[in-house]
């Protein structure tokens, strides 16, 4: 099992910045991807950004150039720096990890943290 604990969600004005953090603990494998997803009000959960432990990154088009994902493999943490926030970024943000144990992949989620961007 892997436990994920997020922090950093808040209310911010449009154009502002926030930094989300997620700490992973438990049975962390040597091969994994960590990432952030979000679920806007009344909508489905969607990808925001992911980063492998080889630090390859992937971003949703809607956040490219504004958000930056990073990780610290020694501390098993992943962060999401969000700049130039827009009201449409309002959502519950979830930390996610895909852990590979040999050929077995397991997916874990955090409890979510609320980000609200006011116009």
């Amino acid at each position: 099992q892997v436990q994920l604990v997020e922090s950093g969600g808040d209310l911010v004005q449009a154009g502002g910045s926030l930094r989300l953090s997620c700490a992973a603990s438990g049975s962390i494998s040597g091969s994994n991807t960590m990432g952030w997803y979000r679920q806007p009000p009344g909508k489905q959960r969607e990808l925001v950004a992911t980063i492998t432990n080889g630090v390859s990154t992937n971003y949703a088009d809607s956040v490219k150039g504004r958000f930056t994902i990073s990780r610290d493999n020694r501390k098993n943490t992943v962060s999401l720096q969000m700049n130039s926030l827009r009201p449409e970024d309002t959502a519950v943000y979830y930390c996610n990890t895909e852990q590979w144990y040999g050929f077995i992949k397991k997916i874990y989620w955090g409890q979510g943290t609320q980000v609200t961007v006011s116009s």
Side-chain angles (χ1 to χ4, degrees), residues 69-102:
I69 190 170
S70 60
R71 65 186 289 168
D72 184 330
N73 288 330
R74 291 173 299 175
K75 297 181 179 179
N76 293 317
T77 58
V78 62
S79 298
L80 185 69
Q81 177 65 42
M82 304 186 294
N83 298 328
S84 301
L85 283 162
R86 305 167 180 168
E88 53 264 38
D89 294 318
T90 294
V92 178
Y93 283 71
Y94 295 92
C95 182
N96 162 278
T97 184
E98 296 183 356
Q99 300 279 327
W100 287 93
Y101 307 96

Side-chain angles (χ1 to χ4, degrees), residues 27-96:
S27 302
I28 297 169
S29 76
S31 178
N32 64 78
T33 296
M34 299 190 77
W36 292 92
Y37 288 70
R38 67 187 181 186
Q39 187 164 14
K43 296 184 179 181
Q44 291 188 336
R45 195 173 296 188
E46 61 186 22
L47 169 74
V48 177
T50 60
I51 184 168
T52 69
N53 55 348
V55 298
S56 295
T57 58
N58 180 47
Y59 293 93
D61 288 343
S62 59
V63 307
K64 283 180 181 177
R66 300 188 298 124
F67 292 10
T68 302
I69 190 170
S70 60
R71 65 186 289 168
D72 184 330
N73 288 330
R74 291 173 299 175
K75 297 181 179 179
N76 293 317
T77 58
V78 62
S79 298
L80 185 69
Q81 177 65 42
M82 304 186 294
N83 298 328
S84 301
L85 283 162
R86 305 167 180 168
E88 53 264 38
D89 294 318
T90 294
V92 178
Y93 283 71
Y94 295 92
C95 182
N96 162 278

